[in-house]
């Protein structure tokens, strides 16, 4: 495995020195997302102190909270195996205590996001400018990925001690926030352009009527998705949606301003969350990625509906254009500050390819949703959770692995002691799997108790089995993807989470389709849409 942190060579050499818990010696370093780098010419006299520093940080980075270590190097011998086993259990217990509430919160948020999406799809703005519906999955996926990237970078920085210095903390937090805004505004504009292109080439179903919907209409996101069957050729001109420049400006202004406001709200919240976790000796790797993945969708969806409703009366006026120009100016201002910030300026050119790659994978996910969302009762709600919850568990694992790799890169000689003093990766994977199963069972029980879905016992059993498969797939992909990116000198904090999240959306929905098909073949009575 490559022992050098990715991208270190492009950063400045004159960054302030870092103190970890007041116990380690200060070294000149080049931070990347909070990961310190040991200079090659460091004297041999400090080797013992470095070993102590590395083992301590590696333990904290992957498998325990900052407050769950004593900062002392311990010798692991045969006589202390029982004591070691007790400490391993203590570390696993800390993962459960910190990660389980975050994953439960993720599930609740995903459930409300599915219900809210069904409601937002009926708003006048979505009915009159239906390209807005087409940008929702992309914008939600974008913001979730950006917020998870932000949480992963800051979690690494917190666990490595970069945020202990107030001056460095302010610079890193503000720099990462401005980087988030640059990426959000830029990619959301691209998403708006893509939605306009799709609006011209995807035909409108004959039975899909927007004008004068009847009272008590059941027009929902499912009906709108039904109007967008993937067609491999251009349809006749009569069935093409007519979209002009005002529509492009309207959709682009909505996407960019929603992404900006979401970054403003969620970015500030995530920065505060990381600082609070550090202050109270909690490991942000266990909490922040899951919270970012769930709140990103919910908040962004609310903002898209709110902004589009405000701009709809001004569709044929210069107001949307002015809003778009203001967003461009905001992106330029953020770019100027980011370039001048030594902690994040090297990251401006990184992380773009996984964002656009995730958009492509999300398109395949949209095709799956389009094909099956209208066939089975409750598919949309179940798809959100079977994709989102395993993805959240995998994001926690990615963030912890990345922090561990950055910590171990300080001194390769400490790797053997680090491995001996921490639970194995497999044990961490099993722990995360066992955390998510009760959350899934609670979710299914709530759906059945409130009458939202009438679940057959066969479906409950098979859905739990396929859910476990999704979680295992998520954790396995997280493990191998993180190691592969690290070996290719790519920082997992910037590259892993968007690809992982998009893959889990696709895999989760495919497994749900398989679950529905198997249960149907077994003769279970499900509510099938006509």
């Amino acid at each position: 495995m490559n022992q050098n942190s990715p991208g270190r060579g492009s950063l400045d050499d004159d960054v302030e020195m870092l103190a970890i818990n007041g116990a380690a010696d200060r070294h000149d370093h080049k931070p990347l997302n909070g990961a310190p780098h040991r200079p090659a010419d460091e004297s041999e006299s400090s080797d013992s102190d470095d070993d102590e520093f590395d083992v301590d940080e590696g333990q904290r980075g992957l498998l325990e909270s900052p407050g769950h270590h004593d900062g002392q190097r311990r010798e692991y011998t045969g006589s202390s195996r029982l004591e070691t086993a007790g400490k391993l259990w203590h570390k696993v217990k800390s993962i459960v205590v910190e990660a389980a509430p975050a994953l439960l919160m993720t599930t609740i948020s995903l459930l409300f996001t599915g219900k809210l999406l069904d409601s937002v799809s009926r708003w006048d703005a979505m009915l009159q400018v239906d390209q807005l519906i087409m940008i929702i999955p992309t914008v939600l996926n974008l913001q979730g990925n950006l917020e998870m990237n932000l949480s992963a970078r800051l979690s690494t920085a917190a666990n490595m001690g970069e945020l202990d210095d107030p001056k460095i903390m302010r610079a890193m937090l503000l720099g990462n926030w401005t980087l988030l805004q640059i990426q959000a505004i830029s990619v959301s504009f691209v998403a708006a352009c893509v939605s306009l292109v799709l609006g011209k080439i995807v035909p409108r179903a004959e039975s899909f009527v927007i004008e004068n919907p009847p009272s008590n209409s059941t027009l929902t996101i499912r009906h709108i998705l039904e109007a967008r069957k993937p067609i491999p050729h251009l349809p006749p001109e009569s069935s093409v949606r007519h979209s002009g420049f005002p529509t492009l400006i309207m959709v682009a202004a909505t996407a960019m301003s929603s992404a900006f406001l979401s970054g403003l709200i969620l970015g500030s919240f995530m920065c505060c969350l990381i600082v609070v976790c550090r202050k109270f000796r909690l490991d942000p790797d266990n909490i922040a990625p899951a919270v970012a993945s769930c709140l990103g969708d919910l908040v962004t969806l609310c903002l898209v509906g709110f902004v589009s409703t405000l701009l709809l009366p001004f569709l044929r006026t210069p107001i949307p254009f002015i809003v778009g120009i203001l967003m461009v100016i905001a992106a330029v201002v953020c770019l100027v500050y980011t370039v001048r910030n030594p902690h994040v300026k090297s990251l401006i050119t990184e992380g773009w390819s996984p964002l656009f790659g995730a958009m492509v994978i999300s398109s395949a996910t949209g095709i799956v949703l389009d094909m099956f969302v209208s066939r089975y009762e409750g598919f949309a709600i179940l798809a959100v959770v079977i994709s989102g919850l395993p993805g959240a568990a995998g994001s926690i694992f990615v963030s912890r692995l990345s922090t561990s790799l950055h910590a171990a890169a300080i001194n390769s000689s400490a790797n053997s002691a680090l491995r001996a003093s921490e639970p194995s990766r497999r044990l961490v994977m099993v722990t995360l799997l066992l955390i998510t199963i009760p959350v899934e069972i609670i979710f299914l029980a709530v759906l059945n108790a409130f009458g939202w879905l009438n679940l057959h016992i066969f479906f409950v059993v098979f859905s739990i089995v396929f859910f476990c498969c999704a979680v295992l797939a998520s954790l396995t992909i997280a493990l191998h993807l993180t190691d592969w990116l690290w070996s290719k000198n790519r920082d997992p904090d910037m590259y892993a989470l968007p690809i992982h999240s998009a893959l889990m959306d696709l895999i989760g929905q495919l497994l749900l389709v398989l679950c529905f098909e198997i249960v149907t073949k077994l003769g279970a009575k499900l509510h099938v849409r006509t």
Side-chain angles (χ1 to χ4, degrees):
M1 180 181 296
N2 187 356
Q3 298 297 333
N4 294 322
S5 298
R8 293 288 196 278
S10 63
L11 299 183
D12 294 340
D13 296 327
D14 57 347
V15 184
E16 295 87 348
M17 292 186 296
L18 166 66
I20 303 294
N21 296 333
D25 294 334
R26 293 180 177 267
H27 305 290
D28 292 336
H29 65 285
K30 303 174 183 179
L32 177 62
N33 302 338
H37 176 67
R38 181 187 177 190
D41 59 349
E42 190 168 352
S43 63
E44 297 294 332
S45 62
S46 62
D47 285 346
S48 61
D49 292 335
D50 290 337
D51 291 346
E52 175 183 344
F53 173 80
D54 295 334
V55 174
D56 178 54
E57 290 306 312
Q59 291 172 345
R60 174 169 54 183
L62 181 59
L63 294 161
E64 68 175 17
S65 299
H68 294 156
H69 65 83
D70 54 11
Q72 299 177 358
R73 184 180 180 181
R74 299 182 181 275
E75 296 295 331
Y76 290 87
T77 62
S79 61
S80 62
R81 289 179 179 177
L82 185 59
E83 180 184 358
T84 302
K87 291 182 178 180
L88 295 182
W89 165 245
H90 182 67
K91 295 171 185 177
V92 170
K93 182 180 178 181
S94 71
I95 300 175
V96 176
V97 171
E98 295 173 3
L103 291 174
L104 182 59
M105 178 181 176
T106 298
T107 305
I108 296 174
S109 176
L110 290 172
L111 178 61
F112 280 101
T113 300
K115 289 292 185 180
L116 181 62
L117 180 60
D118 189 70
S119 176
V120 169
S121 65
R122 310 180 193 186
W123 292 9
D124 289 341
M126 303 299 168
L127 298 179
Q128 297 186 31
V129 185
D130 54 340
Q131 286 85 357
L132 290 171
I133 280 290
M134 303 181 74
I135 69 169
I136 284 180
T138 303
V139 173
L140 296 188
N141 182 271
L142 163 70
Q143 284 301 123
N145 290 332
L146 291 178
E147 297 297 337
M148 285 192 293
N149 279 350
L150 175 66
S151 68
R153 293 197 303 269
L154 293 181
S155 295
T156 299
N159 281 327
M160 301 304 296
E162 290 276 347
L163 303 184
D164 291 345
D165 187 316
K167 182 179 179 181
I168 296 178
M169 179 186 68
R170 287 191 295 269
M172 291 194 67
L173 294 180
L174 187 56
N176 278 277
W177 181 83
T178 55
L179 177 63
L180 171 72
Q181 296 292 23
I182 296 170
Q183 294 174 328
I185 295 175
S186 302
V187 182
S188 61
F189 176 76
V190 175
C193 295
V194 170
S195 73
L196 265 295
V197 174
L198 293 178
K200 283 186 172 294
I201 65 176
V202 179
R204 193 187 292 265
E206 293 182 0
S207 59
F208 182 75
V209 180
I210 294 178
E211 295 82 1
N212 301 321
S215 59
N216 300 323
S217 173
T218 58
L219 182 65
T220 66
I221 183 65
R222 290 179 290 274
H223 298 82
I224 296 175
L225 287 172
E226 288 175 14
R228 293 174 173 84
K229 300 299 181 184
I231 304 297
H233 57 275
L234 289 176
E237 183 65 25
S238 60
S239 62
V240 176
R241 297 185 182 92
H242 297 280
S243 301
F245 185 74
T247 304
L248 171 62
I249 298 300
M250 165 71 174
V251 175
T254 300
M256 291 191 295
S257 55
S258 300
F260 175 81
L261 292 175
S262 179
L264 178 65
I265 298 172
L266 287 178
S268 302
F269 174 78
M270 294 310 302
C271 291
C272 294
L273 178 63
I274 299 295
V275 174
V276 169
C277 288
R278 181 66 178 172
K279 180 178 180 181
F280 289 94
R281 298 293 182 178
L282 301 174
D283 188 353
D285 283 328
N286 291 336
I287 302 172
V291 173
S293 65
C294 68
L295 291 183
D297 289 350
L298 185 61
V299 175
T300 304
L301 180 58
C302 293
L303 291 173
V304 169
F306 177 72
V307 172
S308 61
T309 301
L310 289 181
L311 293 180
L312 180 62
F314 308 100
L315 177 62
R316 302 293 176 179
T317 69
I319 299 298
F321 182 77
I322 295 175
V323 172
I325 294 298
L326 291 177
M327 292 300 100
V328 173
I329 294 175
V332 172
V333 172
C334 292
L335 177 62
V336 172
Y337 177 83
T338 305
V339 171
R340 295 179 179 179
N341 191 313
H343 300 282
V344 295
K345 68 177 184 179
S346 65
L347 305 180
I348 296 177
T349 58
E350 296 186 19
W352 294 95
S353 55
L355 291 176
F356 288 106
M359 289 176 58
V360 175
I361 299 175
S362 296
S363 299
T365 306
I367 294 176
V368 175
L369 186 65
D370 189 21
M371 294 172 60
F372 292 96
V373 73
S374 59
R375 291 185 56 184
Y376 298 110
E377 179 76 28
F379 186 94
I381 298 177
L382 293 170
V384 170
V385 176
I386 200 173
S387 302
L389 186 55
S395 68
I396 292 175
F397 196 34
V398 168
S399 186
R400 297 173 67 86
L401 288 171
S402 179
T403 299
S404 178
L405 291 171
H406 281 92
I410 302 171
N411 187 355
S412 60
S413 64
N415 283 342
S416 58
L418 175 63
R419 295 297 180 186
S421 62
E422 66 184 19
S424 65
R425 292 176 167 186
R426 183 177 300 176
L427 181 57
V428 179
M429 295 172 68
V430 172
T431 303
L432 290 173
L433 173 62
L434 295 178
I435 292 174
T436 56
I437 293 177
V439 177
E440 170 70 3
I441 295 175
I442 293 173
F443 169 73
L444 294 177
V446 169
L447 289 182
N448 192 70
F450 283 89
W452 292 340
L453 288 178
N454 187 12
L455 300 175
H456 194 278
I457 185 63
F458 283 170
F459 181 84
V460 173
V461 173
F462 277 96
S463 64
I464 294 176
V465 171
F466 282 104
F467 174 79
C468 293
C469 294
V471 176
L472 288 175
S474 175
L475 297 175
T476 303
I477 292 173
L479 175 62
H480 294 291
L481 179 61
T482 303
D483 286 343
W484 180 78
L485 289 171
W486 187 263
S487 68
K488 297 299 181 181
N489 203 33
R490 294 292 183 269
D491 187 0
D493 286 335
M494 293 291 293
Y495 287 85
L497 289 174
I499 299 299
H500 175 270
S501 175
L503 285 175
M504 284 316 303
D505 286 344
L506 179 59
I507 293 173
Q509 293 195 22
L510 289 176
L511 288 174
L512 183 60
V513 169
L514 184 60
C515 178
F516 270 106
E517 293 294 332
I518 291 178
V519 173
T520 303
K521 296 298 182 182
L522 292 177
K525 294 182 179 180
L526 296 176
H527 290 288
V528 180
R529 290 193 178 275
T530 58

